[in-house]
Amino acid sequence: MAETSNTEKKASSQSSSLLSKHVQELAINEDEPPQRYIRKDRDREAPIDPSLSSSVPIIDLRLISSPNSSTQQKQDEIGKLKSALTSWGLFQAIGHGIPSSLLVELHEMAKGFFDLPMEEKKKYAMNKDGTQNYLEGYGNDLVISEEQTLEWSDRLYLLIKPKDERKLNFWPENPSRFREVLDEYSLKSNLLAEFVLKVMAESLGLEDDYFLKQIGECGTAFARFNYYPPCSRPDHVYGIKPHADGGAITLVLQDKDVEGLQVFKDGKWIKVPVIPDAILINVADQIEIMSNGMYKSPVHRVITNSEKERFSVAVFYLPEWEKEIEPAAKLISESTPRLFRKIKMKEYGDVFFQKTTRGIRAIDWARAKTA
Ligand SMILES: O=C(O)CCC(=O)C(=O)O
Ligand SMILES: [Fe+2]
């Protein structure tokens, strides 16, 4: 277990002053974001490189999945995917087979939920008792210390897989089609994640079900609906602070109009452009570990906007809690020594939560000790 300081113990036991408010309430009631939302890292700010946005990789999955593609087309696109994940750790997937109408509906469900009166949304509020790391429901990150910089976003966080572990009491009944649409999206998103995990394994010369087996049939998936209200000081307040995701892979449906997501690459921040109907797929820490560092789990952040609100839906795929994750033996050699230790997902999850909340990368804790 991760160490916990006294301040943090107090915070997670009850201190209500450390429970953050819904940002939507702040955005409506106060002109200036409170001090606890103001970034402390502006003096260490890396530059934004506008010229590289158009280079964020785009992969047409249809070229890989379609029986009508030639072997050459398929190999070329897998090569592009490999190069995208080696250098960026992400790509925008097009030709992914999820109908545009479903993506539009999912976006409408997100907007419809966050537009509900606060009292209605609070029916689905997270239980912030601090006893569990993966808190489902409507709320924000758990606040574990006074120093933590808070984020300008509200969330609805729901386990979608395994299906029999869903806690439907957190699934909104309003908008009336919310549950149905999320169920449909989960089905499609799970298939897409499976397909991509297979292609990723194949691209590294592993058995195509290598990652799926490591993740396990009962690997979990969480959908996170993110809502970023307009913020009067976008330069000083993060929608989500820099972080990498802790699971295996993440699928993100970005807002259809409003940009905000940025990825850190070679010392610079790069805006991820909005491409209609694309789904952003990013490597998360467990794939970086299993691929022995070949595929990178990218650091990314979300910037706020002074005028426009923004919605996104991220689905995080995680290995089963009891799985022990380590680099694939095939990817360890004299020239590519083992970079990471073997760690149980449950243990990684605990450490990930503690570190990420403080803005520290968890994967560094998983590195193998060099002799
Ligand atoms: O809002 C986005 O575009 C990305 C969200 C994200 O990085 C996350 O939920 O982990
Ligand atoms: Fe993320």
Side-chain angles (χ1 to χ4, degrees), residues 243-258:
H243 69 284
D245 298 342
I249 57 168
T250 308
L251 272 50
V252 183
L253 177 66
Q254 286 208 75
D255 194 284
K256 58 185 174 39
D257 308 302
V258 185

Side-chain angles (χ1 to χ4, degrees), residues 224 240 243-245 250 252 261 282 300 314 316:
R224 181 153 98 175
I240 300 189
H243 69 284
D245 298 342
T250 308
V252 183
L261 179 62
N282 69 268
H300 52 285
F316 305 99

Side-chain angles (χ1 to χ4, degrees), residues 155 157 224-228 239-241 243-246 250-255 258-262 272 280 282 300-303 310-316:
R155 290 159 196 166
Y157 197 47
R224 181 153 98 175
F225 292 77
N226 295 305
Y227 171 56
Y228 309 93
I240 300 189
K241 58 181 179 272
H243 69 284
D245 298 342
T250 308
L251 272 50
V252 183
L253 177 66
Q254 286 208 75
D255 194 284
V258 185
E259 281 183 354
L261 179 62
Q262 299 184 346
V272 179
L280 182 89
N282 69 268
H300 52 285
R301 66 181 187 179
V302 177
I303 297 301
R310 179 175 184 272
F311 301 90
S312 68
V313 185
V315 182
F316 305 99

Side-chain angles (χ1 to χ4, degrees), residues 70-292:
S70 66
T71 310
Q72 191 59 50
Q73 278 175 314
K74 188 175 162 181
Q75 287 315 319
D76 287 352
E77 207 60 14
I78 294 179
K80 270 173 68 183
L81 177 142
K82 183 171 182 176
S83 137
L85 298 183
T86 311
S87 53
W88 292 77
L90 53 76
F91 61 86
Q92 306 243 42
I94 59 169
H96 47 61
I98 303 186
S100 172
S101 55
L102 181 57
L103 302 180
V104 169
E105 264 195 307
L106 188 69
H107 187 263
E108 278 167 6
M109 293 302 116
K111 182 164 167 41
F113 174 74
F114 289 108
D115 276 352
L116 291 175
M118 195 49 81
E119 281 319 302
E120 173 75 16
K121 289 193 289 264
K122 282 185 180 169
K123 288 186 190 163
Y124 307 99
M126 286 174 180
N127 173 17
K128 296 193 176 197
D129 63 1
T131 53
Q132 184 196 336
N133 287 348
Y134 293 92
L135 298 165
E136 287 190 63
Y138 171 58
N140 330 75
D141 268 352
L142 194 66
V143 183
I144 61 166
S145 91
E146 312 253 2
E147 289 81 48
Q148 190 176 329
T149 305
L150 303 185
E151 302 177 334
W152 201 255
S153 55
D154 290 335
R155 290 159 196 166
L156 175 65
Y157 197 47
L158 301 169
L159 179 142
I160 56 172
K161 183 180 164 295
K163 202 167 176 173
D164 60 2
E165 287 177 26
R166 289 180 183 176
K167 297 197 188 99
L168 288 182
N169 53 320
F170 287 119
W171 287 48
E173 285 179 298
N174 195 354
S176 61
R177 280 182 36 75
F178 186 99
R179 292 180 174 191
E180 201 182 322
V181 172
L182 181 56
D183 185 47
E184 179 70 15
Y185 184 70
S186 306
L187 206 76
K188 299 268 193 316
S189 163
N190 293 349
L191 292 174
L192 175 57
E194 251 176 53
F195 175 73
V196 169
L197 284 161
K198 279 188 176 170
V199 177
M200 281 166 57
E202 199 184 325
S203 67
L204 289 168
L206 301 168
E207 297 291 314
D208 72 352
D209 60 356
Y210 182 84
F211 292 138
L212 291 174
K213 280 196 176 143
Q214 300 299 309
I215 290 169
E217 262 178 34
C218 292
T220 43
F222 291 89
R224 181 153 98 175
F225 292 77
N226 295 305
Y227 171 56
Y228 309 93
C231 176
S232 60
R233 297 185 73 191
D235 288 351
H236 291 78
V237 177
Y238 282 130
I240 300 189
K241 58 181 179 272
H243 69 284
D245 298 342
I249 57 168
T250 308
L251 272 50
V252 183
L253 177 66
Q254 286 208 75
D255 194 284
K256 58 185 174 39
D257 308 302
V258 185
E259 281 183 354
L261 179 62
Q262 299 184 346
V263 59
F264 192 65
K265 182 174 185 291
D266 303 331
K268 290 177 190 155
W269 288 105
I270 296 151
K271 287 185 195 170
V272 179
V274 170
I275 299 180
D277 297 340
I279 292 183
L280 182 89
I281 301 190
N282 69 268
V283 168
D285 292 353
Q286 305 312 308
I287 289 284
E288 178 161 343
I289 293 173
M290 287 187 256
S291 70
N292 200 29

